[in-house]
Amino acid sequence: PRTMAPAAPRLVLGLLVLSLCCEACKKVIFHVPSELEADTLVGRVDLKECLQSAEFISSSDGNFKVLEDGSVYTTSALSLSAEKKTFTILLKDIEEKVQKKIHVDVVEEEKKVRHARDTILKRTKRRWGPIPSVMIENSLGPFPLQIQQVQSDTAQNYTIYYSASGPGIDQDPKGLFYIERETGNIFATRAVDREQYPSFQIICFATTPDGYSPEVPLVHTIRIEDDNDNAPYFTQDLFEFCVPENSRPGVVVGKVIAEDRDEPYTLHTTLKYRIVSQTPPITPAFSLHGDTGVISVLLPQLDRELVPSYTLLVEVRDMAGQPFGLCTTGTVVIKIEDTNDNAPSFKQLQYETRVEENRVSVEILRVSVVDLDEPGSPGSGAVYEIIRGNDDQAFEITTDKNTNEGILCVVKGLDYETAKQRILVIGVNNEAPYLLAPHSQQLSQSTCSVTVNVLDVDEGPVFKPCLLRLDVKECEDVGTAIGRYVAEDPETGNSEGIRYRIPPGQCNWVNIDDKSGEVRTVRVLDRDIGEMRRGQCNVTVLAIDRNGKTGTGTIQVCIVPGNKNFPRITQTDYIMCRDRKPICLTAQDGDEAPYSAPFVYRITDRNLASMWKLTPHDDNSWYLSPKSDIPYGIYEIPVSVIDNGGKIGENTVRVNLCDCVTPTECDGRTRQLSGGNVTLGLWAILAMILGSLLLLLILITICGCCGAGVMHRQVTDDCANHNLIISNTEAPGEEVMDHNIIPLQNTCDQGGYGVKTGDQQTFEMVKGRGHTLESVKGGGHQTLGSVKEGGGQTMMDTCRYSYSEWHNFTHPRLGEKVHLCRQDEEQKHSEDYLLSYNYEGKGSLAGSVGCCSDQHEEEALDFLDQLEPKFRTLAETCIKR
């Protein structure tokens, strides 16, 4: 009813749509439900108020489209999800170059809360919607041609807006359709090309005389029905394919492709192919698949030598190949590729040529072949070979790439006296392997024979062999005959009248007899001198006959290695400390195998062999070590080294067995000092004498003080340790008495210790408790002081024992002690128990330089040149002064 007209514009598809326009050309707000389907009207914008002459209308958001009347539709399903959508409508006037924008906000409408008892009143109206219309492409009319009629029960005036979809959508088809304002009939004004506009959408609006639109705009589709107005066409003007000859039937050659601009998937675009004709017009060689356009081999005997290429005229027709369909023809060229199915054959089966003897690197003949394969291809390239008659490799045949001929050459001089004629058999093949046609026979190799006549030429002497190897032992005597080298006349076969000589500038180690050809040495052949360092020497020899013809030969003198060098030890001076670590002796030999390593070492001196031993280490080295606890000193050990050839080299190894921890403590300074000419001045002599006297005075004072302080006690270890360290103890410790040691009983009150002197075999016993306070070692007479109990006074005792008495007493007891030490469970050496800690090294030949010296000649001061190391610094200082 008319009373509801004011509220009617708010009903769109049963949805509440509110259209507000806030200052035209600035912003428009649409309130819509949260879920929208495609092609749903969102609202309408007054475009004429913003830009009346707008020729181009577009939306910045692809989810919305804007029609010419200002209606805004969704293009796809849309969900706002509590968020607003904002986009811009762009209006352009191309002629006047005017552009304006309208901002649109799409906001979700507010949902009203309804109560269960509320009654919902809803008014609906049946929507008018005609079925899609069809218009035949290229229709003949008459025009205007009525397409459809739309009607509304409540409206009388009709207007339309249409849009085209297709390749020509960018072309505005204005005036193609129109609608009668009073009746709603839609008319077409002219024919339509489907390839340009496949379909149209007509949007119809029905309004009342006062401009009210009671109905929702109707979207009406007009589809253009295809007419077979386009003939198919090939994508290429000329198709070119290749296929090898002798290909089997069914091999794919290529594919032709055609297209049709009519509607796809209809009979108008269903294509069929066929071969119209073949050039040359012989047996059909190829087949064409009607649906796919694939060309395949049909004839099994494709022979390039007969037909190098085929030209096919092909046709494509639409309407599935029906006679009334449209068609087009195209051209296909198929080239037959060459394969090696033809063997080359010689133009002649026999050839004859000649060549002078001794000629080399000379061309003597050219042979040619015929091949039906494509020239210049691997299938026609000839490869020649000499099958027979070239056992000595005197001939060689190659291929001329330009002419495909075979070039026969002599690469080794021929001998007329040996063979006056040579017969060769030459064969030919192709570079590429043979590919035969199906069911064809195997190809046979073509051959020809070549007769080579050798021409006689006067030749010079010839050495046989041309290279003679002579092996000579190294260091042979001068003039030793090492061989004979002679030449022959090729014509006579003998050596009469031939002279020999070695031209200047050759190796001058050997010479040759000018008549007999005997080779002798002129120098001792040594591999370590001159040209012989390489082990051989090449000598060129000339042979001259009576006619002056010359022949050359080569003598290769090779030196056989000999055993000419003695093995020698590289290092012969060593220092061995108290740990007695074995010394590694290494020998070298200048000879080569088998006259060098392995070496065998021997100690030639029997006495030293009982003290020292040699043990193998490797082929070049042996270890030298003492057999037992030998005394310290310098040992010169003769060692012989025997090489693998039996040659003996004598060497002397000098070992300084030193009481040291590291070899640097015995670095040879003592030997240098004793061996040098060191002269001490008078002040140095006086300084040493005064120093000795001062040392003796200090010792007497210390002993006197100890005796005065303990009047009623014996001299104990503590007294000595606080003042003077006893020389035969390693450190202060607890005194332990061993019951296995039996004290020496003699005419004296108590036992003591003794030392063996240099000249007189006597011992001085130290009375008291065996604490030695002073010991002076050297040549001549030696005395030992002792401390006697009681009274605190020191007394000297002259009680003496002979060396035999001392030896008879101590030898069995020391042996028993050593035996007991060896019974230890851990099998420790006796040195762990018996230590010679009171041995301080070899004494000076000068003896004592103090007041107690036994030196009778005061003017004999030569002993000062051989002092111990502790006086060396003082002596050097005095010399500098």
Side-chain angles (χ1 to χ4, degrees):
R2 290 292 181 181
T3 55
M4 296 185 64
R10 306 183 71 178
L11 294 175
V12 180
L13 295 179
L15 302 176
L16 179 62
V17 179
L18 176 62
S19 176
L20 298 177
C21 183
C22 303
E23 297 181 14
C25 301
K26 289 188 177 181
K27 181 176 288 187
V28 176
I29 301 175
F30 294 139
H31 293 271
V32 298
S34 60
E35 300 293 335
L36 297 176
E37 297 180 355
D39 295 327
T40 300
L41 178 63
V42 177
R44 181 178 295 175
V45 180
D46 191 353
L47 302 180
K48 292 183 180 181
E49 184 179 353
C50 187
L51 183 60
Q52 187 173 3
S53 60
E55 297 180 358
F56 179 80
I57 304 172
S58 64
S59 172
S60 63
D61 192 343
N63 294 321
F64 302 94
K65 63 181 178 180
V66 184
L67 305 183
E68 287 185 348
D69 64 340
S71 300
V72 180
Y73 285 85
T74 58
T75 59
S76 60
L78 188 64
S79 176
L80 294 181
S81 64
E83 294 181 2
K84 69 177 182 179
K85 288 285 185 179
T86 302
F87 64 95
T88 302
I89 300 175
L90 180 62
L91 306 177
K92 288 184 179 180
D93 187 342
I94 299 176
E95 294 181 358
E96 298 182 2
K97 298 183 180 179
V98 179
Q99 175 177 320
K100 291 188 178 182
K101 295 181 180 179
I102 300 177
H103 300 284
V104 180
D105 290 343
V106 181
V107 184
E108 182 182 2
E109 66 179 358
E110 296 180 0
K111 296 182 180 180
K112 296 182 180 180
V113 180
R114 295 190 179 95
H115 299 282
R117 63 176 181 271
D118 293 345
T119 302
I120 299 176
L121 300 178
K122 185 176 181 181
R123 178 183 179 184
T124 61
K125 177 178 176 58
R126 180 176 60 84
R127 181 180 180 184
W128 52 285
I131 61 175
S133 302
V134 176
M135 180 180 176
I136 299 176
E137 181 185 14
N138 301 320
S139 175
L140 298 178
F143 295 101
L145 179 65
Q146 184 178 353
I147 303 301
Q148 184 62 272
Q149 182 183 14
V150 294
Q151 292 182 350
S152 174
D153 296 337
T154 60
Q156 297 176 358
N157 299 328
Y158 302 94
T159 59
I160 64 170
Y161 170 77
Y162 58 91
S163 63
S165 62
I169 192 171
D170 55 334
Q171 300 178 7
D172 189 5
K174 287 186 176 181
L176 182 57
F177 299 95
Y178 70 91
I179 188 171
E180 289 184 345
R181 186 176 183 83
E182 295 80 8
T183 62
N185 292 325
I186 301 174
F187 293 91
T189 61
R190 64 181 183 273
V192 181
D193 185 4
R194 192 205 66 84
E195 285 70 41
Q196 184 177 11
Y197 300 107
S199 64
F200 294 90
Q201 284 186 342
I202 304 297
I203 302 175
C204 304
F205 299 94
T207 60
T208 60
D210 56 0
Y212 170 68
S213 298
E215 304 289 348
V216 176
L218 174 66
V219 179
H220 181 60
T221 301
I222 301 175
R223 187 175 63 85
I224 308 302
E225 185 175 351
D226 182 48
D227 182 25
N228 190 19
D229 57 344
N230 294 284
Y233 61 93
F234 286 102
T235 57
Q236 296 177 219
D237 296 335
L238 178 66
F239 292 91
E240 292 183 347
F241 305 108
C242 296
V243 63
E245 61 177 332
N246 301 319
S247 296
R248 298 179 180 275
V251 174
V252 176
V253 177
K255 181 180 180 180
V256 293
I257 301 174
E259 295 179 353
D260 198 320
R261 286 187 291 270
D262 289 324
E263 185 176 359
Y265 311 110
T266 63
L267 283 176
H268 298 166
T269 55
T270 303
L271 307 180
K272 284 287 185 179
Y273 302 90
R274 72 183 183 92
I275 297 176
V276 178
S277 63
Q278 172 185 297
T279 303
I282 56 176
T283 305
F286 303 95
S287 63
L288 177 60
H289 195 280
D291 296 329
T292 61
V294 175
I295 301 175
S296 303
V297 175
L298 182 62
L299 183 65
Q301 290 85 20
L302 291 178
D303 192 350
R304 189 204 65 84
E305 288 72 33
L306 296 178
V307 182
S309 66
Y310 292 85
T311 302
L312 304 179
L313 181 64
V314 296
E315 177 191 83
V316 59
R317 186 181 294 270
D318 59 12
M319 300 301 293
Q322 296 296 328
F324 51 83
L326 303 178
C327 66
T328 303
T329 58
T331 303
V332 179
V333 177
I334 302 175
K335 294 182 179 180
I336 308 301
E337 293 180 344
D338 181 49
T339 59
N340 192 18
D341 58 344
N342 295 281
S345 61
F346 285 99
K347 294 181 179 180
Q348 294 180 224
L349 298 181
Q350 293 182 351
Y351 294 88
E352 187 173 357
T353 185
R354 60 183 180 177
V355 63
E356 294 179 354
E357 64 175 334
N358 300 322
R359 291 285 302 276
V360 294
S361 301
V362 58
E363 178 183 333
I364 61 174
L365 182 66
R366 280 180 175 254
V367 296
S368 58
V369 295
V370 176
D371 197 323
L372 298 179
D373 292 319
E374 184 176 1
S377 66
S380 64
V383 178
Y384 300 91
E385 61 177 339
I386 301 175
I387 299 175
R388 290 193 300 271
N390 192 30
D391 297 336
D392 57 352
Q393 304 297 318
F395 299 92
E396 182 181 80
I397 188 168
T398 58
T399 303
D400 188 341
K401 296 297 183 181
N402 297 325
T403 62
N404 210 29
E405 293 177 327
I407 304 174
L408 182 63
C409 299
V410 178
V411 295
K412 187 185 295 184
L414 303 178
D415 188 4
Y416 174 81
E417 290 72 25
T418 303
K420 299 179 181 180
Q421 190 179 75
R422 301 284 294 272
I423 298 177
L424 307 176
V425 178
I426 300 176
V428 63
N429 289 309
N430 287 130
E431 297 177 4
Y434 294 113
L435 296 176
L436 305 181
H439 310 292
S440 62
Q441 296 180 355
Q442 183 69 29
L443 299 178
S444 60
Q445 185 183 27
S446 177
T447 60
C448 70
S449 63
V450 179
T451 301
V452 181
N453 297 313
V454 183
L455 303 180
D456 187 21
V457 177
D458 186 15
E459 305 173 90
V462 178
F463 284 97
K464 292 184 179 181
C466 60
L467 176 63
L468 177 64
R469 177 187 173 97
L470 298 176
D471 293 333
V472 187
K473 290 185 178 180
E474 191 173 10
C475 301
E476 287 283 359
D477 296 334
V478 177
T480 303
I482 60 176
R484 189 167 179 265
Y485 195 33
V486 296
E488 296 180 357
D489 191 335
E491 280 75 21
T492 61
N494 56 52
S495 303
E496 294 180 2
I498 298 178
R499 300 284 182 173
Y500 306 95
R501 71 182 181 88
I502 298 176
Q506 301 291 316
C507 179
N508 57 356
W509 296 83
V510 297
N511 63 3
I512 187 169
D513 188 86
D514 61 342
K515 295 181 180 180
S516 64
E518 187 177 32
V519 182
R520 292 179 178 273
T521 61
V522 296
R523 296 172 61 184
V524 177
L525 302 183
D526 192 346
R527 292 171 59 91
D528 300 328
I529 301 176
E531 300 94 336
M532 289 302 177
R533 290 180 180 176
R534 294 176 296 177
Q536 69 178 29
C537 179
N538 294 335
V539 181
T540 301
V541 181
L542 300 180
I544 307 171
D545 61 7
R546 294 186 182 93
N547 299 326
K549 296 289 184 179
T550 304
T552 60
T554 303
I555 299 176
Q556 188 180 70
V557 181
C558 298
I559 299 179
V560 178
N563 195 8
K564 68 172 183 178
N565 296 301
F566 295 91
R568 61 183 182 85
I569 299 176
T570 57
Q571 182 180 350
T572 58
D573 198 356
Y574 296 93
I575 297 175
M576 180 179 290
C577 291
R578 66 180 62 165
D579 58 357
R580 301 175 188 265
K581 184 178 179 180
I583 298 171
C584 185
L585 303 179
T586 303
Q588 291 182 349
D589 195 330
D591 298 321
E592 297 182 359
Y595 302 110
S596 56
F599 301 122
V600 177
Y601 292 70
R602 295 286 186 270
I603 298 177
T604 56
D605 187 281
R606 291 187 177 182
N607 294 331
L608 292 175
S610 63
M611 303 170 64
W612 297 83
K613 64 178 179 179
L614 289 168
T615 55
H617 173 53
D618 54 24
D619 290 347
N620 297 326
S621 305
W622 283 47
Y623 286 121
L624 175 65
S625 59
K627 288 185 177 180
S628 59
D629 297 337
I630 61 177
Y632 295 106
I634 298 176
Y635 295 87
E636 293 185 353
I637 306 170
V639 178
S640 63
V641 182
I642 308 171
D643 62 16
N644 198 33
K647 207 154 193 174
I648 303 175
E650 299 294 342
N651 304 268
T652 300
V653 180
R654 192 168 185 268
V655 181
N656 182 5
L657 184 59
C658 182
D659 185 11
C660 59
V661 178
T662 60
T664 56
E665 299 178 13
C666 295
D667 58 355
R669 288 181 296 180
T670 302
R671 295 192 297 272
Q672 295 174 3
L673 185 62
S674 62
N677 296 324
V678 180
T679 304
L680 299 179
L682 179 62
W683 291 106
I685 299 174
L686 293 177
M688 288 187 289
I689 294 175
L690 291 176
S692 300
L693 292 176
L694 181 62
L695 178 63
L696 181 62
L697 180 62
I698 293 173
L699 294 177
I700 294 173
T701 303
I702 294 174
C703 293
C705 293
C706 293
V710 284
M711 298 296 294
H712 301 287
R713 289 188 304 175
Q714 298 179 353
V715 178
T716 63
D717 292 340
D718 294 336
C719 178
N721 290 336
H722 285 291
N723 297 276
L724 181 66
I725 297 177
I726 300 175
S727 62
N728 61 350
T729 60
E730 292 184 332
E734 183 181 3
E735 182 178 0
V736 179
M737 299 300 296
D738 193 342
H739 64 276
N740 293 321
I741 300 177
I742 303 175
L744 180 65
Q745 301 294 332
N746 49 39
T747 57
C748 298
D749 296 338
Q750 294 182 358
Y753 297 90
V755 296
K756 184 178 178 181
T757 63
D759 297 334
Q760 300 178 4
Q761 294 187 355
T762 60
F763 276 78
E764 291 188 0
M765 304 305 299
V766 181
K767 291 186 178 182
R769 301 188 64 177
H771 298 283
T772 302
L773 298 179
E774 182 180 2
S775 178
V776 181
K777 300 172 65 178
H781 183 71
Q782 295 183 353
T783 61
L784 293 173
S786 64
V787 180
K788 187 175 182 181
E789 295 179 353
Q793 297 178 356
T794 304
M795 291 183 60
M796 302 298 296
D797 197 301
T798 60
C799 183
R800 298 177 179 273
Y801 296 93
S802 66
Y803 174 75
S804 59
E805 293 174 344
W806 176 257
H807 181 271
N808 294 335
F809 175 77
T810 58
H811 188 270
R813 288 165 176 77
L814 291 176
E816 181 181 1
K817 182 63 177 178
V818 171
H819 175 73
L820 292 175
C821 292
R822 291 180 177 175
Q823 301 302 316
D824 186 78
E825 293 181 358
E826 299 181 359
Q827 299 295 325
K828 295 182 179 179
H829 195 270
S830 60
E831 283 189 355
D832 294 338
Y833 297 87
L834 297 180
L835 302 176
S836 301
Y837 54 83
N838 60 346
Y839 181 76
E840 296 182 351
K842 186 177 180 181
S844 173
L845 297 178
S848 174
V849 296
C851 60
C852 299
S853 174
D854 291 333
Q855 196 77 19
H856 298 288
E857 297 180 6
E858 297 179 357
E859 292 78 17
L861 301 179
D862 295 338
F863 69 92
L864 296 177
D865 297 334
Q866 300 175 353
L867 298 178
E868 288 292 337
K870 55 189 174 182
F871 293 104
R872 182 177 180 180
T873 304
L874 178 61
E876 291 176 352
T877 304
C878 295
I879 291 174
K880 291 180 181 179
R881 291 180 180 178

